[in-house]
């Protein structure tokens, strides 16, 4: 079973395999500086003729560039609409230097009810949630409540694993077994109730389940590690995971449409929450509340279950850029690998390429949702693609946003 996937690939070489699509609503922010250029042209009339001619030529070139830029956005919208007709259902955003250059809504929040997507539509972030979990841990370390070298058996004495540190969990180096496999077996869970994070800790504590590898020797993607980190946050802070996020991240950043949502375990009736769909041929099959097998995983947080919007996520990116939530030193550590894995940070994959410079990214896939987030550090560019019908060609969409948004 695939859950909340992560693919730290080199974007320079990304190409989509095929395309899908549905209906359209698009909002674009036109570049505001074109009006300013026209105004500056009007001001140069007091200059000498030769100087004025030179400035007018420069001004006309700027206006022409703005016209080309606006046309690029129209072209971008048209190309995204083709993806939409071929199957893409979701929201996209591209920003540069904290300004939204392009944002679009393609399709429906709920297909059966024909509820259109809007900028405030709320998507299950799946594995994009891990970056929030990681930052919460970093905050607790900055407050002196933890350290990167803290061993988890010092937090739960009953855990049989003696050498797993907080940093191992953050970097997917713990070797812990997959909790999804464990709770799917009657030996460990009865399936009569939905397990919570505390149940995962108990299963690991009461059973002699071997590690997949010795901690700190490999980096293997681990949902269990981030579920355990959510439990660490609760244990150390004395707050529920969702409460800690609200108090320390969402409220300070005014991410008003972001929160933990566990749709089966605890219903949330916010009408802005989208429905996730699986694609069967050209049909979209609603999944989240219809696949009874999946309810077993609905109570676990930390590795997933955070929901958000394209507009809230740009607030998140700005906070990362401006060190609003953690220090510069902590952010650099969060955005850096180590000797075991140069491409694995805390909740992010890390890449350096000739074209883009250094960037961090993550993908997420769960219950019909497929998401992509990219932050290019050197040029301050940010891409978010949120799909609620498992559209997997985010590589193609990302290429279009970078090509025509620049």
């Amino acid at each position: 079973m695939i859950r909340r996937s992560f693919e730290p690939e080199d974007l320079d070489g990304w190409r989509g395999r095929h395309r899908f699509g549905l209906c359209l609503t698009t909002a674009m922010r036109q570049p505001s500086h074109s009006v300013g250029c026209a105004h500056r042209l009007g001001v140069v009339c007091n200059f000498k003729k030769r100087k004025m001619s030179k400035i007018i030529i420069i001004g006309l070139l700027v206006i022409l560039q703005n016209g080309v830029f606006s046309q690029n956005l129209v072209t971008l919208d048209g190309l995204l609409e083709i993806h939409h007709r071929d199957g893409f259902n979701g929201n996209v955003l591209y920003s540069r230097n904290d300004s939204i250059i392009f944002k679009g809504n393609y399709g429906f929040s709920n297909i059966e009810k024909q509820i259109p997507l809007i900028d405030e539509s709320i998507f299950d972030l799946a594995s994009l949630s891990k970056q929030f979990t990681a930052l919460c841990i970093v905050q607790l370390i900055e407050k002196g409540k933890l350290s990167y070298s803290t061993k988890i058996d010092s937090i739960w004495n009953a855990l049989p694993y003696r050498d797993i540190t907080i940093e191992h969990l953050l970097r997917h180096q713990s070797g812990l077994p997959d909790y999804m496999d464990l709770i799917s077996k009657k030996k460990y869970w009865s399936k009569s109730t939905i397990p919570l994070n505390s149940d995962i800790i108990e299963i690991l504590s009461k059973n002699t389940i071997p590690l997949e590898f010795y901690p700190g020797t490999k980096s293997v993607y681990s949902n269990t590690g981030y579920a355990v980190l959510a439990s660490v946050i609760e244990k150390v802070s004395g707050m529920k995971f969702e409460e800690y996020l609200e108090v320390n991240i969402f409220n300070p950043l005014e991410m008003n449409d972001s929160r933990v949502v566990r749709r089966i375990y605890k219903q949330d009736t916010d009408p802005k929450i989208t429905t996730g769909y699986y694609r069967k041929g050209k049909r979209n099959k609603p999944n989240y509340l219809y696949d009874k097998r999946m309810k077993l995983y609905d109570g676990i947080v930390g590795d997933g279950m955070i929901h958000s919007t394209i507009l809230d996520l740009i607030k998140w990116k700005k906070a990362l850029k401006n060190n609003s939530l953690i220090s510069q030193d902590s952010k650099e550590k969060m955005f850096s690998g180590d000797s075991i894995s140069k491409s694995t940070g805390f909740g992010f994959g890390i890449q350096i390429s000739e074209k883009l410079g250094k960037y961090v990214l993550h993908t997420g896939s769960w219950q019909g949702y497929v998401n992509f987030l990219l932050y290019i550090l050197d040029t301050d560019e940010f891409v978010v693609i949120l799909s609620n019908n498992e559209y997997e060609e985010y590589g193609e969409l990302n290429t279009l946003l970078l090509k025509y948004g620049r």
Side-chain angles (χ1 to χ4, degrees), residues 46-282:
N46 291 326
F47 289 104
K48 292 179 180 179
K49 184 175 182 181
R50 186 174 59 184
K51 191 170 183 179
M52 182 177 73
S53 299
K54 183 177 180 181
I55 293 174
I56 288 176
I57 290 171
I58 293 171
L60 288 172
L61 287 172
V62 172
I63 290 175
L64 181 60
Q65 287 173 347
N66 288 336
V68 172
F69 181 69
S70 297
Q71 183 57 47
N72 281 348
L73 297 185
V74 173
T75 301
L76 172 59
D77 180 51
L79 292 170
L80 290 172
E81 187 175 359
I82 291 172
H83 276 269
H84 171 60
R85 289 199 301 266
D86 287 345
F88 173 61
N89 197 91
N91 285 352
V92 302
L93 180 145
Y94 169 73
S95 76
R96 185 172 60 248
N97 297 325
D98 294 339
S99 294
I100 298 175
I101 305 299
F102 182 93
K103 56 187 173 68
N105 320 122
Y106 299 85
F108 296 99
S109 171
N110 184 293
I111 294 174
E112 293 75 33
K113 297 178 181 178
Q114 295 284 284
I115 299 173
L117 287 166
I118 57 176
D119 291 343
E120 296 78 16
S121 293
I122 299 170
F123 291 75
D124 186 337
L125 295 186
S127 269
L128 299 191
S129 302
K130 290 182 173 70
Q131 58 201 260
F132 293 92
T133 303
L135 188 131
C136 292
I137 290 289
V138 173
Q139 285 183 329
L140 292 171
I141 289 172
E142 288 191 339
K143 293 173 183 177
K145 296 182 180 294
L146 283 171
S147 73
Y148 291 112
S149 60
T150 297
K151 294 184 178 181
I152 61 172
D153 66 310
S154 70
I155 301 173
W156 296 281
N157 295 330
L159 279 175
Y161 312 113
R162 302 301 172 209
D163 296 314
I164 298 174
T165 67
I166 294 297
E167 187 159 3
H168 289 150
L169 296 173
L170 288 167
R171 295 193 185 279
H172 300 282
Q173 296 175 6
S174 69
L176 286 169
D178 185 355
Y179 79 80
M180 298 186 75
D181 287 341
L182 297 179
I183 63 177
S184 67
K185 297 174 181 177
K186 291 183 180 179
K187 177 181 178 181
Y188 300 116
W189 194 254
S190 68
K191 299 187 183 180
S192 60
T193 57
I194 297 174
L196 304 178
N197 288 56
S198 57
D199 297 308
I200 301 303
I201 299 296
E202 188 172 356
I203 290 171
L204 294 173
S205 298
K206 289 186 175 181
N207 298 275
T208 306
I209 306 170
L211 294 175
E212 294 181 357
F213 54 86
Y214 187 78
T217 61
K218 293 182 182 180
S219 181
V220 177
Y221 193 77
S222 173
N223 288 307
T224 307
Y226 273 76
V228 172
L229 285 171
S231 293
V232 171
I233 292 164
E234 293 187 336
K235 186 85 168 177
V236 172
S237 71
M239 303 167 72
K240 290 290 186 184
F241 178 66
E242 50 266 45
E243 182 186 359
Y244 185 93
L245 284 165
E246 184 177 349
V247 171
N248 293 280
I249 297 180
F250 299 149
N251 286 350
L253 300 183
E254 297 184 351
M255 295 175 66
N256 299 323
D257 288 316
S258 300
R259 58 189 176 277
V260 171
V261 178
R262 291 180 280 188
R263 306 187 191 204
I264 302 170
Y265 175 74
K266 185 179 180 181
Q267 286 192 344
D268 189 319
T269 57
D270 190 331
K272 298 192 295 295
I273 296 177
T274 57
T275 300
Y277 294 87
Y278 281 146
R279 289 187 58 78
K280 300 200 85 174
K282 293 185 177 180

Side-chain angles (χ1 to χ4, degrees), residues 9 60 177 297 319:
E9 303 174 50
L60 288 172
Y297 310 109

